[in-house]
Amino acid sequence: MALSIPFSANSHVSFFCLLIFVLMYLEGAQVYGAKREHGKPYHVVNVKSLDPNPYCIESTKDQSKRESLKVVHRHGPCSHMNEARTTAPTLVEMMSHDQARVNSIQNRLRVKSDHNSLDDSKATLPAKPGQSIGSGNYIVTLGLGTPKKDLTLTFDTGSDVTWIQCQPCIRCYKQQEPIFNPSASQTYKNLSCTTPQCSQLDISGCTRATNTCLYAVLYGDGSFTIGLYATETLTLTPSDVFPGFAFGCGLNNTGLFNGAAGLLGLGRGPPSLVTQTASKYGSYFSYCLPTLSSSSGTLVFGKDGGTTNSAGIKYTPLLTNSNGPSFYFIEVTGIKVAGELLPISQSVFSSPGTIIDSGTVITRLQPEAYDALRTRFRQLMMNYTMTQGVSLFDTCYNFSGHDTVEVPTISFVFGGNVEVPIPFHGILIGSQELACLAFAGNSDASEVGTFGNWQQQTLDVVYDVAGGKLGFGTGGCS
């Protein structure tokens, strides 16, 4: 006996709508009406993942066999410097600091600065392009002195000199841990003005009375540190201890250092930790930067430390620039959006060059490259309503009302045909109410591009400085 199901006009319409719904689902379209190009690779994510997570979730990677430093975001829930849950800088504030750093990098690369002297009698600062600490996002804790004192430092691949605040302060900003007291250490020693370490500084001076080396580091945002250049025992891990490590003992310090005790310099210059520990580590280090929302990452020195996925690391050549010998230059050859290479001439990237920088937040592209990226991204996001931009960002969306969103994938192609997919958290910045394309254009085509830390999140980034290559791997930390 046949089963008879009566259909009214309305039921016909309902059935038709249901059929369309099923067909759209089978074709991979979003059920809330989004139009997407068939077959294009997208990230499909819950919009809540765009909002900050108040809970610390340690990395899911097994690090039991690795000698490494724990890396956390300064304003993330895993940071002991954020235990009071103080208000993180707004997006506008963070980008203002970030742009100051980018501007100072451009100035340093335009002008090849000669050595400058520091007059200790007046403590005057020479007029030269300064560095910029920027937002100081990622921090590590290490030990200094005998007995060892644990100190939290911002680490920076764009700086060479490692420095900390020291007693007795002429002027010091507020920091999380007690300020380091050199007189309480059995291994602290000031360097004389005639030592090789003193001559390697960009800015140095000499005390007339004691012939002690002075150092200074100027930052483009008005921050600075001035003090004595000295040696001390540095403890990275219980098995990685370095007597006689040269560093700046800052007595006069001011600026936007976010409560850290100082800065760990990981540049390519002679004063950097990378160079000073080369006899043990072979000028080799790697890191994985965690997302702001929850997790922790790692900073590892030496090949023996390895990475969580060494077999999956792909290498691109490291390049040099005589105007910026401390920076890590790399070659960008193209950008892909949703799997398709954008129509950008390689000369757009190669003429000014590109650096990778742990201290710059947002990747800066040459204007023509950014225009191409923005145009294609907007085309593939037409199913979402754009909202007013903020600060550097001109491509922003309000995802309120959506449970999930589909965002086209973005990947960078580096020299040697090394393609690096940008993790989802590196594509957008903000929250579900204001989520912006996390890239910006330089003001001029002649300015150097910067591959920033927002796009490096959760990637294994391997610096084989002696081997002249830089490695990338996916899924380095959660």
Side-chain angles (χ1 to χ4, degrees):
M1 180 178 177
L3 179 62
S4 175
I5 302 177
F7 281 89
S8 65
N10 287 338
S11 63
H12 275 85
V13 172
S14 299
F15 179 78
F16 180 76
C17 289
L18 178 61
L19 180 61
I20 293 297
F21 181 94
V22 173
L23 289 174
M24 290 177 66
Y25 179 79
L26 292 175
E27 286 295 318
Q30 291 180 294
V31 297
Y32 45 78
K35 296 179 180 179
R36 57 172 292 178
E37 296 189 15
H38 181 70
K40 300 294 184 186
Y42 282 68
H43 295 283
V44 181
V45 296
N46 191 309
V47 295
K48 292 182 179 179
S49 67
L50 293 167
D51 295 330
N53 189 334
Y55 305 105
C56 176
I57 303 173
E58 297 294 346
S59 175
T60 58
K61 298 293 182 180
D62 179 17
Q63 299 168 11
S64 59
K65 298 180 180 180
R66 305 169 69 203
E67 290 286 0
S68 62
L69 300 179
K70 178 180 176 181
V71 174
V72 297
H73 195 285
R74 163 67 180 85
H75 297 290
C78 292
S79 171
H80 71 277
M81 296 176 64
N82 197 29
E83 290 175 350
R85 295 296 179 262
T86 55
T87 302
T90 66
L91 193 58
V92 172
E93 291 170 338
M94 183 168 66
M95 289 303 100
S96 176
H97 299 159
D98 199 45
Q99 190 58 46
R101 179 183 178 89
V102 170
N103 291 343
S104 70
I105 288 174
Q106 301 296 349
N107 286 334
R108 290 170 66 189
L109 291 170
R110 287 191 197 102
V111 182
K112 186 175 181 180
S113 302
D114 296 324
H115 179 84
N116 282 267
S117 60
L118 184 67
D119 185 351
D120 72 301
S121 63
K122 299 179 181 178
T124 55
L125 301 180
K128 63 173 287 186
Q131 303 174 54
S132 176
I133 190 65
S135 299
N137 288 325
Y138 290 100
I139 53 177
V140 295
T141 300
L142 46 74
L144 200 68
T146 307
K148 176 177 72 75
K149 299 296 181 183
D150 287 334
L151 298 169
T152 299
L153 307 182
T154 298
F155 77 87
D156 185 6
T157 59
S159 299
D160 289 329
V161 175
T162 295
W163 62 268
I164 63 168
Q165 295 199 114
C166 286
Q167 297 182 26
C169 282
I170 298 172
R171 175 169 52 180
C172 286
Y173 59 86
K174 186 177 180 181
Q175 68 177 53
Q176 182 76 13
E177 296 109 348
I179 293 176
F180 184 75
N181 184 1
S183 63
S185 172
Q186 302 168 18
T187 47
Y188 176 90
K189 182 180 180 181
N190 287 327
L191 285 165
S192 73
C193 303
T194 56
T195 57
Q197 295 98 317
C198 191
S199 64
Q200 292 167 351
L201 296 170
D202 285 338
I203 306 175
S204 65
C206 191
T207 60
R208 294 186 177 93
T210 61
N211 195 39
T212 300
C213 182
L214 299 173
Y215 84 96
V217 182
L218 289 68
Y219 298 96
D221 57 10
S223 306
F224 62 83
T225 174
I226 306 172
L228 305 173
Y229 205 50
T231 61
E232 183 56 284
T233 296
L234 173 71
T235 302
L236 297 179
T237 72
S239 59
D240 294 79
V241 180
F242 297 90
F245 177 76
F247 76 107
C249 196
L251 305 177
N252 189 355
N253 321 287
T254 184
L256 303 171
F257 300 114
N258 293 323
L263 183 141
L264 183 65
L266 297 180
R268 300 170 91 165
S272 78
L273 178 120
V274 178
T275 304
Q276 290 195 57
T277 60
S279 60
K280 178 169 185 176
Y281 297 138
S283 298
Y284 190 106
F285 69 99
S286 62
Y287 58 67
C288 182
L289 305 179
T291 62
L292 169 62
S293 59
S294 61
S295 59
S296 62
T298 55
L299 172 62
V300 184
F301 294 95
K303 293 183 180 180
D304 293 339
T307 66
T308 57
N309 183 28
S310 57
I313 302 297
K314 298 179 180 179
Y315 289 92
T316 185
L318 273 175
L319 310 176
T320 58
N321 183 302
S322 59
N323 282 348
S326 294
F327 291 113
Y328 297 97
F329 276 82
I330 51 178
E331 180 188 17
V332 178
T333 61
I335 300 173
K336 290 184 178 181
V337 178
E340 291 186 351
L341 191 65
L342 296 176
I344 308 169
S345 170
Q346 289 190 19
S347 63
V348 170
F349 302 109
S350 61
S351 180
T354 299
I355 64 170
I356 182 171
D357 183 37
S358 70
T360 298
V361 180
I362 297 299
T363 291
R364 302 309 203 280
L365 299 171
Q366 290 74 20
E368 184 177 336
Y370 177 69
D371 288 346
L373 171 63
R374 173 182 58 189
T375 298
R376 187 55 177 151
F377 187 84
R378 287 180 176 180
Q379 289 173 349
L380 297 176
M381 292 286 288
M382 289 182 66
N383 48 303
Y384 300 108
T385 303
M386 287 185 61
T387 188
Q388 184 175 357
V390 59
S391 186
L392 304 175
F393 307 115
D394 56 13
T395 302
C396 302
Y397 302 87
N398 185 342
F399 294 132
S400 298
H402 296 288
D403 293 327
T404 60
V405 293
E406 290 191 353
V407 178
T409 60
I410 295 176
S411 59
F412 273 58
V413 184
F414 297 103
N417 199 30
V418 172
E419 182 174 344
V420 178
I422 305 300
F424 168 73
H425 282 286
I427 295 176
L428 295 174
I429 189 170
S431 63
Q432 58 179 302
E433 289 83 13
L434 181 65
C436 301
L437 178 63
F439 296 83
N442 282 331
S443 59
D444 190 271
S446 64
E447 293 180 335
V448 170
T450 308
F451 191 62
N453 63 44
W454 198 261
Q455 282 64 46
Q456 297 176 50
Q457 290 178 103
T458 74
L459 294 175
D460 268 324
V461 185
V462 181
Y463 292 73
D464 184 354
V465 184
K469 58 185 180 179
L470 181 81
F472 291 100
T474 58
C477 52
S478 55

